[in-house]
Amino acid sequence: MGRLTCLTLLLGLFVTSHALPQRPARSLDSELREVLQELMELEEDSFDGTSDKRDQDLQQDRQQDRQREDEDSVELWLEDVNMQLRVWNNRMSSAEWAFSTNITDTNREQLANSETKYSEWYPTILGQAREWRKRGGLHSDTDRQLRLLTKYAEPAETEDVRKQKDLEGRMSELYSTARVCRDGENCLQIEPGLIRLMATSTDPEKLLWAWDGWRNATGPPIKPLYLQYVKLLNQGAVQNEYKDYGDYWRDHQFDQTRDLEELCDRLWSDVKPLYVQLQAYVRRKLTNFYGADIVGTNGAIPAHLLGNMWAQNWQMISDIVLPKSTDPHNDVAKSAEVKLKQRFNVTGLFRLSEQFYESIGLFPMTDVFWEKSMIVKPEDREVTCHASASDLFAKDDFRIKMCTDVTMDYLYTIHHEMGHIEYFMAYSGQPTIYRTGANSAFHEAVGDTMALSVVTREHLHSIGLIDTATRTEDGDIADLLNMALFKVAFLPYGYLIDKWRWRVFSGDIPDEDLNKEYWKLRLQYQGIVSPNPRSERDFDPAAKYHVPSNSPYMCYFISFIVQFQFYEAMCATRGHKGPLHTCDFYQSKEAGEKLKDMLSLGASQPWPDALQQLTGSRHVSADALLEYFNPLMEWLKVQNEGENLGWDGASINWED
């Protein structure tokens, strides 16, 4: 009770006293006046004491009332913002889909316009979200939504945003429409033409022609645009209180993971010994096949000999690398691909993937998916063939874009992209702010986790793609080696792309050293060198789609590790017994339910919470990957006895 309340009550008593019988001797009025005076003095003396506590309590009550009012107000505001965000996301994703499936100047301009208009609308939302957070005292979920809204890095000026979006569209168009031609004819684009040539040819001259031609077609025209683009990215990031665009990217993709760079370094340190053993074994096999005059003797591998345009997936040279065997079933992927081509068309591959997801209790694809997805390359227009999945933020509207061929590699990719769709559908009931993955690596890991099960002998036999699931020691090594040519070979490449970009964004790599520093990283981490001399006239990072499209890449490195954690957890739920690499959780509703529960969270919980829900651990670890490949690691150590491990004697192939 405060000071004014005490005095008011006393005055009320004073007034009431006039209705009481009068006392003789000393009047009640005079007594009350004295008491009133004493109380007033006491109030003055104790103002900083008990009454102050009461005032504070009253003030706290009023503050709590205001906070409840604020909470109600901000929740109504967030409800409105989530609805508006869904409309904007639909507009932008629709414009992005239109451009990537029909590359025209008109569609590029419409995409840039939609993104520019969004950047004009969003700063008001950003400012209000920051103001709400300053007030404090909000419910944890309310504060989380507000905090996620503040992750923003567009430039402040509309014209700068328009320039940035235009540059991004032009770079993507240059990449998607680039061709490599021999004598002005027989021109090939990256998909499927150049990818197929790199995967099937063993002619070093043809491989070099395709490798060098693709980099000549993409790098030089993209480089000047990219330099302008980086400046605008950094400008927007700094204006939004980030150190640079890399700082924003890390915060946006892996919310509240301050030690992300240290985490990635630790994970690479854990898996590097396995990679070094694999690289040494593959190098020796390539030397036996091509000769030391082609491969070299300094420990590094020329990038054009590994069956892939970017030397990130070495499975296409499995016929060179896998141990020779009289068992025709040792190379499971090639055996399965023969029957795959006989039994399925492109649509059949997608139905096969859908059936796997349904077997574990996840979602079938929607009617809109089958109606609007682009699953083969159209002949009447230019498109971006790089596989991707899209959430259009409309009812049942989820799509995949691919220029699919009937191969095991594409079957794997379909499972990967459909994993994104399953994630989209699982969290579609969340507020728009939460309609994304717990972190970007989780989104990439979902489909790959399914594919680890799909490529087992047990599963391939169950769907009729191989004749027997019988396992032998030689067969297991062949399976593991084939998988390592994909999963382990990718790790240093996945690690270094954003190591390079983060240094570009921070200014640690100056403009005049972009290509040189890129090749230093490729040698340092991959033990890969260019097959011909490179210079700063080249811009080889742009030969990878994710650079001109400004798509993050460290998420793939982490996803290639965390997917084994997901897989191990689902196998445990399935009740699998035996070596991890033999697990197939096909038709396990229990495993699927556990995954779905995590997927349905979207970004509503911190990613360590989501990881713990599925795996029991809050930490990304390479332990499951190393357990999976442990039999192969022991085998490689024996095979590489007497071999010089590593590539310390190599240097980049460079000309000034």
Side-chain angles (χ1 to χ4, degrees), residues 33-95:
R33 287 192 186 97
E34 289 180 12
V35 172
L36 179 59
Q37 182 63 37
E38 289 175 13
L39 280 173
M40 290 178 67
E41 291 172 358
L42 285 171
E43 290 285 354
E44 292 291 340
D45 292 340
S46 64
F47 188 74
D48 294 327
T50 305
S51 65
D52 186 45
K53 170 70 167 59
R54 291 168 179 165
D55 283 348
Q56 289 176 1
D57 290 344
L58 181 62
Q59 187 175 2
Q60 186 175 3
D61 289 343
R62 289 172 177 168
Q63 185 176 3
Q64 288 174 350
D65 288 341
R66 283 197 301 271
Q67 286 176 348
R68 280 192 289 270
E69 291 172 2
D70 284 351
E71 187 78 34
D72 291 341
S73 298
V74 73
E75 286 180 359
L76 289 172
W77 181 79
L78 281 170
E79 186 177 332
D80 182 58
V81 167
N82 274 297
M83 288 190 294
Q84 293 183 65
L85 272 175
R86 184 172 180 178
V87 172
W88 278 108
N89 287 349
N90 172 256
R91 289 175 184 171
M92 291 189 293
S93 57
S94 297

Side-chain angles (χ1 to χ4, degrees), residues 108-254:
R108 175 164 53 81
E109 290 168 5
Q110 288 179 348
L111 173 59
N113 285 339
S114 70
E115 293 177 327
T116 301
K117 289 177 181 176
Y118 173 80
S119 72
E120 294 171 346
W121 168 77
Y122 196 81
T124 302
I125 303 301
L126 179 67
Q128 184 63 64
R130 287 171 174 166
E131 282 299 314
W132 283 118
R133 290 203 75 214
K134 286 179 183 177
R135 299 187 187 187
L138 298 171
H139 186 275
S140 59
D141 181 73
T142 302
D143 187 66
R144 180 173 180 80
Q145 290 193 58
L146 292 171
R147 184 169 52 76
L148 294 178
L149 280 173
T150 63
K151 297 180 187 296
Y152 186 74
E154 298 288 5
E157 298 298 325
T158 300
E159 187 56 34
D160 290 333
V161 175
R162 187 177 297 279
K163 288 178 185 176
Q164 178 182 306
K165 301 306 178 184
D166 181 64
L167 287 167
E168 189 174 310
R170 287 163 63 192
M171 289 190 294
S172 292
E173 184 173 350
L174 284 168
Y175 182 96
S176 299
T177 59
R179 287 171 167 77
V180 179
C181 305
R182 191 182 290 276
D183 301 325
E185 298 179 355
N186 300 318
C187 297
L188 299 176
Q189 289 184 280
I190 188 63
E191 288 192 57
L194 290 170
I195 285 179
R196 186 182 296 154
L197 187 152
M198 295 294 294
T200 58
S201 178
T202 55
D203 182 337
E205 290 187 6
K206 284 185 180 179
L207 293 171
L208 179 58
W209 169 80
W211 188 94
D212 190 48
W214 178 245
R215 281 153 183 77
N216 290 338
T218 53
I222 288 174
K223 183 176 183 178
L225 305 182
Y226 191 75
L227 291 172
Q228 298 175 57
Y229 186 63
V230 167
K231 287 180 173 59
L232 289 169
L233 291 177
N234 275 338
Q235 177 182 315
V238 171
Q239 288 172 344
N240 285 279
E241 301 179 2
Y242 290 100
K243 290 185 292 186
D244 54 61
Y245 194 76
D247 184 32
Y248 158 73
W249 235 0
R250 292 185 291 274
D251 181 47
H252 180 68
Q253 295 174 71
F254 295 91

Side-chain angles (χ1 to χ4, degrees), residues 26 326 407:
R26 193 174 185 197
T326 56
T407 67

Side-chain angles (χ1 to χ4, degrees), residues 345-347 350 373-379 381 383 385 400-405:
N345 58 16
V346 167
T347 301
F350 279 82
S373 289
M374 186 197 87
I375 62 176
V376 294
K377 185 176 182 179
E379 297 180 357
R381 62 188 187 274
V383 300
C385 273
I400 285 177
K401 167 185 62 64
M402 283 179 66
C403 299
T404 317
D405 209 352

Side-chain angles (χ1 to χ4, degrees), residues 11 32 154 190 198 236 245 331 354 377 413 481 548 551 576 616:
L11 286 170
L32 285 173
E154 298 288 5
I190 188 63
M198 295 294 294
Y245 194 76
D331 192 344
E354 178 189 41
K377 185 176 182 179
T413 302
L481 181 54
S551 302
H576 173 72

Side-chain angles (χ1 to χ4, degrees), residues 342-355:
Q342 293 171 350
R343 293 179 49 195
F344 295 97
N345 58 16
V346 167
T347 301
L349 297 190
F350 279 82
R351 290 292 184 184
L352 196 59
S353 178
E354 178 189 41
Q355 194 272 331

Side-chain angles (χ1 to χ4, degrees), residues 274-289:
L274 175 58
Y275 177 79
V276 170
Q277 292 284 347
L278 179 68
Q279 194 266 7
Y281 176 81
V282 170
R283 183 182 68 221
R284 185 172 68 254
K285 288 290 185 177
L286 288 172
T287 301
N288 292 342
F289 185 83

